[in-house]
Amino acid sequence: MFNKIGPGVLVAAAFVGPGTITMCTLAGTNFGYALLWALLVSVLATIILQGMAGRIGLVTQSGLVDVVRTELKTRWVKNFVIAIVLGAILVGNAAYEAGNIGGATLGLEQLLPQPQLRSFLPTIIGSIIFLLLWFSSYKILEKIFVGLVGVMGASFVICAVLVQPSISEIFKGMFIPRLPENGLLTVVALVGTTVVPYNLFLHASLVKEKWNSKTDLKAVNWDTIVSIGLGGLVSMAILITASAAPISEINNALDMAKALEPLFGKMAFLFMAIGLLAAGITSAITAPLAAAYVASSCFGWEGGMQNKKFKMVWTIVLLCGVLFLSFDIKPIEVIQFAQVANGILLPVMALLLLWVVNKKSVMGENKNSLVQNAFGVAIVLFTIFLGAKSIFKVIGLF
């Protein structure tokens, strides 16, 4: 069973990062169990979209951008799509990398007794990630991620059990959709932290690293469903913990741990710190990796992870994250641009994904079924709504 687990774990690790942890904590604190249904819908949408991306990667043995670039015949349309993808992924991931490393730093700070080391933690974590990416192959990274996701998942699920939540309220929040007052933007944010555009590129590229035969399609589907389902379980565990914990104010993810400490002692704080550290490191590895795969597909670089240009891209993304954090630069404008670009990118990529996966010339007998298309169209419509909301939100901040 575990031999069939692989790329999906990296996708799950990518979307369960410090941002997701903070967002789920805020959702649970502000609205209780009421928005569990939004996480459930997000996870199902992610499984469907990532399943399509994984299938494309297996059947074509190419990255998603490679396929789109080949299939788009009109030059200006092709160049426009590639420009949008590069802008959103490279700039966006560089901006958000600071948050990923910051989350790992926040978790590690709680585990270190020497406060004088704390100013060096972003550089230390950045160096560890650099060494892992520089010297590791895909197979080694896969094993590291399985371990880290296991630690992260166990930490947050244990916290959810400790708070003894109401089982009936959990089922009610999960299967009876309701939108509390002022809850719309939180729903949009929960979906946005789970259905992540760059994971579509990452998944297609990683599938072809692990599998090379169409007979492995069942393994790809198994990996996608199990891994992303477990990632969704972790997100739900965080929201459930925040709902049941006596929290008065939230500034970051560890505020929930501080609220749990009087009830359950240092162990709750320890589990939360370890979970946050693991979540930060996994997301801080996948964001640069995804950016490098996108650039590699756009420019047709050969050699995979060992290509020098490939390494240069993820090094720049990682370095930007460390510098933003080390010098306390607040990349507000960059992040705002990334939000706008991602708001455009998500529906564009969902449409392109649906288009490619229905082309018999590309997918053959593995093209979408009628049921898969129905779900795909519903998700596309929802991503258009989501993209419009995120863009309007950012424009309102200018």
Side-chain angles (χ1 to χ4, degrees):
M1 180 181 76
F2 288 105
N3 287 336
K4 295 178 182 179
I5 298 296
V9 172
L10 276 77
V11 172
F15 76 74
V16 185
T20 300
I21 294 170
T22 302
M23 202 59 243
C24 290
T25 302
L26 286 168
T29 303
N30 296 331
F31 304 107
Y33 305 102
L35 297 183
L36 275 170
W37 64 270
L39 271 181
L40 181 62
V41 169
S42 304
V43 172
L44 292 175
T46 303
I47 288 172
I48 292 167
L49 289 179
Q50 296 294 158
M52 292 180 194
R55 199 167 2 126
I56 290 170
L58 181 72
V59 171
T60 65
Q61 285 297 292
S62 300
L64 190 51
V65 179
D66 290 310
V67 179
V68 170
R69 193 179 57 186
T70 303
E71 293 302 313
L72 286 174
K73 305 301 182 185
T74 308
R75 187 181 180 87
W76 74 266
V77 174
K78 183 193 301 186
N79 291 338
F80 175 75
V81 170
I82 288 175
I84 288 292
V85 168
L86 277 174
I89 299 300
L90 297 182
V91 179
N93 285 14
Y96 293 131
E97 183 69 353
N100 295 328
I101 295 173
T105 301
L106 192 61
L108 188 57
E109 277 180 0
Q110 315 310 312
L111 306 174
L112 289 177
Q114 298 91 354
Q116 60 268 28
L117 288 176
R118 291 179 181 178
S119 59
F120 299 103
L121 289 183
T123 305
I124 293 169
I125 290 172
S127 301
I128 292 169
I129 292 166
F130 177 86
L131 292 172
L132 285 172
L133 283 171
W134 189 270
F135 292 106
S136 296
S137 64
Y138 166 73
K139 289 183 178 179
I140 294 171
L141 281 179
E142 186 183 285
K143 289 181 173 64
I144 292 168
F145 269 74
V146 168
L148 284 171
V149 170
V151 170
M152 176 175 69
S155 297
F156 290 127
V157 170
I158 287 169
C159 283
V161 172
L162 282 176
V163 296
Q164 298 178 327
S166 167
I167 303 300
S168 62
E169 287 296 317
I170 289 173
F171 278 98
K172 184 179 175 183
M174 198 175 294
F175 299 111
I176 304 177
R178 52 201 166 113
L179 188 62
E181 189 178 352
N182 301 321
L184 179 60
L185 285 181
T186 304
V187 170
V188 171
L190 286 173
V191 176
T193 60
T194 309
V195 189
V196 183
Y198 79 71
N199 280 344
L200 299 172
F201 306 102
L202 184 65
H203 200 181
S205 297
L206 292 178
V207 162
K208 69 184 179 67
E209 295 272 357
K210 186 174 178 70
W211 294 292
N212 52 25
S213 170
K214 294 178 185 178
T215 58
D216 293 316
L217 186 57
K218 284 186 178 178
V220 174
N221 291 335
W222 167 266
D223 171 51
T224 302
I225 293 167
V226 172
S227 299
I228 294 173
L230 288 173
L233 179 65
V234 172
S235 296
M236 289 179 186
I238 298 163
L239 191 152
I240 289 167
T241 305
S243 300
I247 309 171
S248 57
E249 186 181 354
I250 289 288
N251 294 309
N252 58 58
L254 274 176
D255 285 341
M256 180 162 63
K258 292 170 185 172
L260 295 175
E261 192 173 354
L263 296 176
F264 305 110
K266 287 284 185 184
M267 289 306 290
F269 197 83
L270 182 65
F271 283 130
M272 191 66 71
I274 291 172
L276 187 57
L277 173 62
I281 289 177
T282 52
S283 294
I285 292 174
T286 53
L289 199 59
Y293 272 120
V294 169
S296 180
S297 290
C298 286
F299 298 112
W301 298 335
E302 301 291 337
M305 288 180 67
Q306 302 311 312
N307 183 289
K308 289 182 180 178
K309 293 176 182 176
F310 185 97
K311 290 183 174 182
M312 181 183 69
V313 172
W314 64 248
T315 300
I316 291 170
V317 172
L318 177 60
L319 188 61
C320 285
V322 173
L323 289 175
F324 284 153
L325 208 61
S326 297
F327 295 103
D328 200 28
I329 299 171
K330 302 191 185 305
I332 300 299
E333 292 81 8
V334 180
I335 290 174
Q336 285 178 341
F337 170 77
Q339 285 175 331
V340 172
N342 279 332
I344 298 169
L345 181 65
L346 183 55
V348 167
M349 284 315 304
L351 279 167
L352 286 172
L353 194 67
L354 204 56
W355 173 62
V356 169
V357 88
N358 276 289
K359 287 181 74 73
K360 195 164 186 178
S361 60
V362 177
M363 301 300 294
E365 62 183 15
N366 294 299
K367 71 185 188 71
N368 260 11
S369 67
L370 188 62
V371 174
Q372 287 171 322
N373 277 332
F375 281 117
V377 169
I379 293 168
V380 165
L381 292 174
F382 189 63
T383 57
I384 290 171
F385 167 75
L386 179 70
K389 288 295 294 183
S390 66
I391 291 166
F392 291 147
K393 182 184 176 185
V394 170
I395 289 172
L397 294 177
F398 284 119

